[in-house]
Amino acid sequence: TNPIWKKDPATLKDEDYKSFYKELYPMDPAEPLFWLHLNVDHPFTLQGILYFPKLNPSKPTNESNIKLFCRQVFVSDNVKDVIPEFLSLLKGAIDSTDIPLNVSRSALQGDPNIKKISNYIVKKVAESLKKLFKSDRARYESVWEDIGLFVKYGVISDTKFDDLMRDRVLFKNSEQKFTTLPEYIESVPEKHKEKMKGKVVYFEEASSDDALRVQLLEEGIQAITTDAYIDPHFTQHVEMQSKGDETIKFQLVDNAIEDILETENATEDDVKIKDLFQEILVGAKDEKNPAQLEIEVKHFKSATTAAYFKVDESMKRFQQMTKSMGQSNFEMPSKKTLVLNPSHALVKNAFKISENGDKKELAGKICHHIQDLAAISGEGLNDTDRK
């Protein structure tokens, strides 16, 4: 009878908003992260409170979290078309006399005010986040783990939200500090700016070789950490939908290191090392059954690992796309390249022993050991590798 959204925000305290949240969601043990008080009377009427909740991974994200009222009378908790899907993570209540009591999908889609209300809510949410980013960066970073998913989803889904929020999407860099894409590009050392122009190096959690990230960091080059869920869609969106003259290309750390840090041309010994590993790990090539593993020898500045795996980036992205479309049964052959560091002691020893010719079996064991080390540093050993 006397809802909080009818009151002047200047008269309300944090405790009032939290108390109202508990009335709406008595079963939620967590307090809201922050909230947004809506109040507009032209060109439509809209009042309400939208809460940014702490994410609960055990609950689905498409719950009917927002309650719809008309003149303080509950109408529905089905707010599709009123609230964009990417904001369905929010909780709260909105009250408008311009939303028809008949909240069927066809009625909402045909109502001209609904689109205006939806656009207004998107704009106010983006402005609220933008204000928090600017006025209290530490607070913004502290809640990012909870709001990051729907911010990235919103950037992908809504053009206006994208315009306001793309440059405020956060990633953790190699030093575990939060950074935006503009901040990342600005952080590239002057000596690498030409090679790194428009590039963002990324590191996939539990999939990329951490030693490569450390190696790049020694050159002052950061790598942002990405997940396997929303980030592939976000990065693809940023690459395809450039803003103004700005074009960004994301590059896996194992592909970027070759472009940035390769220092020397191949020698005769490098060719022999490649042939040795080719013979032991791959064997003779068969046109009917082409090998999926390729061998390369590369010299890198301050290389500390014996080898690492490089995966074809376009193929990896295609695999991610098919997986996200629910085609998990469709498996493309994964083409990998084992990149060897000829300066590393293990690689040198394998080559020397094979050259002597009396301990071929030991040389073979070292080659397999180097391959296993590279696999463990990246995605780990699978059942086939363990055999």
Side-chain angles (χ1 to χ4, degrees):
T1 56
N2 189 26
I4 192 173
W5 64 75
K6 301 291 286 184
K7 298 178 181 179
D8 183 352
T11 66
L12 298 171
K13 299 178 181 179
D14 289 355
E15 289 73 18
D16 297 319
Y17 288 104
K18 291 177 182 179
S19 177
F20 182 61
Y21 183 84
K22 282 297 178 186
E23 286 183 41
L24 289 174
Y25 310 100
M27 302 303 292
D28 190 344
E31 288 188 342
L33 301 171
F34 50 99
W35 46 85
L36 174 64
H37 196 136
L38 302 170
N39 191 0
V40 61
D41 54 18
H42 184 78
F44 48 82
T45 60
L46 178 69
Q47 294 174 315
I49 311 291
L50 291 179
Y51 292 94
F52 294 76
K54 189 167 182 61
L55 270 186
N56 185 345
S58 66
K59 288 191 175 182
T61 57
N62 59 350
E63 282 185 287
S64 299
N65 289 328
I66 299 173
K67 303 179 188 300
L68 187 62
F69 292 80
C70 180
R71 292 188 174 90
Q72 301 163 228
V73 177
F74 176 74
V75 176
S76 175
D77 58 2
N78 177 11
V79 291
K80 286 182 179 178
D81 295 309
V82 181
I83 299 289
E85 187 179 7
F86 73 90
L87 291 183
S88 62
L89 290 167
L90 300 183
K91 293 185 175 184
I94 56 175
D95 187 340
S96 176
T97 58
D98 290 303
I99 296 176
L101 291 175
N102 174 15
V103 289
S104 68
R105 189 169 181 81
S106 58
L108 291 177
Q109 287 180 330
D111 193 298
N113 277 327
I114 296 301
K115 186 63 178 175
K116 294 178 184 177
I117 291 172
S118 179
N119 288 341
Y120 173 80
I121 291 172
V122 169
K123 181 183 176 184
K124 294 302 289 185
V125 169
E127 287 177 349
S128 175
L129 291 169
K130 183 178 175 182
K131 180 180 178 182
L132 181 64
F133 176 89
K134 187 175 181 180
S135 63
D136 194 347
R137 175 69 177 263
R139 172 73 172 145
Y140 186 85
E141 291 182 359
S142 71
V143 300
W144 180 253
E145 297 297 331
D146 291 286
I147 68 173
L149 175 63
F150 86 74
V151 172
K152 291 174 184 175
Y153 188 15
V155 167
I156 296 168
S157 307
D158 190 281
T159 303
K160 292 179 180 177
F161 194 84
D162 185 10
D163 291 339
L164 289 168
M165 289 305 301
R166 182 187 297 192
D167 290 347
R168 292 160 185 86
V169 169
L170 298 181
F171 292 93
K172 280 191 175 178
N173 63 18
S174 300
E175 297 175 308
Q176 297 303 300
K177 296 177 181 177
F178 281 111
T179 185
T180 64
L181 293 180
E183 288 168 350
Y184 175 90
I185 292 171
E186 186 64 29
S187 75
V188 174
E190 196 63 40
K191 64 178 179 179
H192 293 298
K193 279 198 181 292
E194 190 60 36
K195 281 188 176 181
M196 288 282 293
K197 187 175 182 180
K199 286 184 182 178
V200 174
V201 179
Y202 69 99
F203 174 91
E204 291 184 309
E205 282 185 308
S207 181
S208 295
D209 192 333
D210 192 56
L212 304 182
R213 178 166 59 171
V214 173
Q215 205 169 314
L216 282 175
L217 187 57
E218 289 174 354
E219 287 292 303
I221 298 172
Q222 301 280 352
I224 63 169
T225 302
T226 63
D227 63 34
Y229 305 102
I230 187 69
D231 287 336
H233 303 284
F234 176 83
T235 54
Q236 184 182 35
H237 172 80
V238 172
E239 287 178 336
M240 295 180 67
Q241 304 292 329
S242 58
K243 294 174 66 176
D245 297 331
E246 171 195 86
T247 56
I248 290 178
K249 177 72 175 175
F250 292 86
Q251 192 171 23
L252 263 172
V253 64
D254 50 355
N255 289 300
I257 198 166
E258 187 172 318
D259 292 345
I260 299 167
L261 299 185
E262 187 176 5
T263 58
E264 299 176 22
N265 295 324
T267 65
E268 288 185 16
D269 282 351
D270 292 346
V271 176
K272 292 178 182 178
I273 290 172
K274 178 180 178 179
D275 290 342
L276 169 66
F277 278 79
Q278 179 77 33
E279 178 186 347
I280 293 173
L281 301 180
V282 182
K285 287 191 175 182
D286 182 352
E287 291 183 3
K288 294 181 181 179
N289 185 27
Q292 294 304 312
L293 177 66
E294 293 190 355
I295 308 294
E296 287 183 3
V297 179
K298 299 285 184 181
H299 291 264
F300 297 118
K301 184 176 180 181
S302 67
T304 55
T305 54
Y308 69 90
F309 275 110
K310 179 176 69 174
V311 181
D312 183 86
E313 190 149 359
S314 59
M315 184 178 292
K316 189 176 186 71
R317 292 193 183 196
F318 183 76
Q319 289 174 328
Q320 290 172 332
M321 181 181 71
T322 55
K323 189 175 181 180
S324 68
M325 293 170 66
Q327 300 177 22
S328 55
N329 294 328
F330 178 72
E331 285 287 339
M332 281 190 64
S334 181
K335 185 177 179 181
K336 291 184 175 181
T337 302
L338 183 65
V339 183
L340 299 166
N341 169 19
S343 302
H344 195 276
L346 275 176
V347 178
K348 284 182 177 179
N349 288 338
F351 176 58
K352 286 179 182 178
I353 292 170
S354 70
E355 287 288 280
N356 291 336
D358 57 344
K359 294 182 179 179
K360 282 280 186 182
E361 186 178 348
L362 178 57
K365 286 183 178 179
I366 296 174
C367 291
H368 281 288
H369 180 61
I370 291 169
Q371 181 185 24
D372 288 346
L373 288 175
I376 291 169
S377 297
E379 297 181 351
L381 295 175
N382 57 38
D383 291 338
T384 304
D385 294 329
R386 291 190 185 100
K387 294 176 184 177

